[in-house]
Amino acid sequence: MSGPSERQIHKFRRDYAVKQQEQVLDLHLAVDRLHTLATPALRKATTKIEYEWRIVIQGAYPGQIDAKMGVVDLMKALPVHLIACLMAQQPLRAGEGSWQAELTPQKLSHTSIWGYLTQGLTLLGNLCGLSAVIKEVSTAINQDPTFHERVLDLANMALLCLAGPEAQHSNAAALDPDRDQECLDRAAMVPAALNAVMYALQPAAAVADVELHFLCMELFKQAASPVFLDAIFDAVAVVVNMVRSALVSGNTSLDLYMLSYHAGVTMQVLAELTATPLSYYRLAIQDKPFAAPLRLIAAGLDLHSLPLAPPPFKQEGSTCVPILPGTDTHSTASAQGAAELLSARAMALMLCFSDYEATGFLDQAAGHLATSELLDQCVDNILGYAGLALQRPKVDAVPVEFTGEGQMQLNSLHMAEVLTDDSNFRQRAMDSLAAPMAHALSQPPQDFASAWLAGREAFELHSKDTVNDATYLLLSSLSVEALRKANIIKALAMNLHLARPDKDPGSFKHTLALEAVERCITLFMTLGNLHWFTPATCPPQLENYFADLLVEQVKKQKQHQSLKQALHGVLANLQSLYQHNQLIFQAAHQHVPQDANLVLSQDELKLGERLILHLRTVHSNLPEATD
């Protein structure tokens, strides 16, 4: 029997080519080949054929026919496809099982279902970005009332799966060197899901560069938005816990910096979203005790708990002691500062929430049984961070090694200021911070000025707060009030020479000066809050309670000196701190009188002065030689 004629072969090839051109969407092929293309690259690969915009996927090898897929059809099909993959837990690793031959002739490059989901979500987000620049595509997508619902359903299902049933498997992956890639895939899925939702809602806002307020409005129009907000906070918390598990286990083969990056970039976007009043008060309505954000904050603050420690300290028994350069390796060194950045971001998120007085975050969390215990844990961790920041050895003795340490310490001091201004936590802060404050205030005058009066030490502590030596990191509250205050302090610090570093820190001079001056203001205001007392709201036993604790700790720490002599040094440093803040106060009221109270008010200045006056009285009543 003879074979097919040349005419039959030609017809077969032609029919096959037409079939390839008009075939049902090969979504596995699209995800695998297109997920690496950002929106500009996708735009170059997109062409208008008759009345439809199509993406051309070139053949993987010479002679393979190019595949052409309609952009709108691909966008509408992709969320449902990824939901089906998640439910079926397919595809598995490339080459496993017989499903590939039935679904696609392509050999896929992903390493796990989580890797494939991340690729798909990344492609979906980039396609939504593409639709924002092609009017016909945007119009077609916005005419489908179910598209945004499907994208949000996909994100919710993926995030809830990771934060719920898969949480223990995620931690297990962080512990197993053979599952390093799977661990990174799980973490990468979280920012990919968030970006997909944000880009999907962007065309609905009818502008390409949408403001966060309007993006939040679009999000809250969706019925599933409350689930999404809870799910994204919990999913990021899972990734942060994965970082801690890997650090504790000593899994050195895992790329801890990249694992932390996936959590950090998501926390940054969440901080920007929740900095809008609309988001904050929507959260307060649907989650009155702020349980989901608090779980994420708690995970970030728990990163350095036993057996780990914040740099530059190590755990010895139940206490932290400074590491010895050249002999000790810090417990989180393998993360190259990323663990410290995550803790700083957690505190920045808490700072942002604490800026809202109406429906206050701390009051709401403390007033609910479901969150009060977790909040207590967070408060204890913050006071621990702040205490170590006050006791940090000099940079000349123990240099700052990685990015993140300075930001973490500064945010802990900011949060200590917030907590000492809250009657729920003031006494606990007094007990916790008395010894560290005595240590800081008992330094020699030149060392105290360098560290706390915007001197060289303060600048050196933040000299590593850059990414790739190009972008300066400033991880603090993103509320409107906090940003305005930061801009005022930065201008005052540089233009009025409130900060005088011994050497020019280069292009980051203005931001370093901001942080150096913030350390000075924050320490002063925290001391004022700790000594603050009013009979109307404070129990009688708290009058002069902190001052008495401070004197007791100075006596304990300076046993080689008389108490009168030791207190004389403390008073000299306090007076210098007061004078520096008085200079800041005068400069603010002279140059920005309308916003000066954002920096430092007359009442806040008087609070610190009261502590000095009380300690002077104690000092004057001591005999000349007291052990």
Side-chain angles (χ1 to χ4, degrees), residues 280-281 283-285 287-290 353-365:
Y280 177 82
Y281 291 116
L283 270 173
I285 291 172
D287 185 4
K288 289 185 178 180
F290 293 93
F353 285 159
S354 301
D355 283 339
Y356 294 93
E357 294 187 7
T359 319
F361 169 72
L362 293 175
D363 290 338
Q364 291 296 105

Side-chain angles (χ1 to χ4, degrees), residues 495-518:
N495 296 337
L496 301 178
H497 307 290
L498 298 176
R500 300 183 179 88
D502 293 344
K503 62 180 182 178
D504 183 357
S507 61
F508 308 121
K509 185 175 181 179
H510 284 66
T511 307
L512 286 170
L514 161 67
E515 294 182 317
V517 174
E518 280 191 330

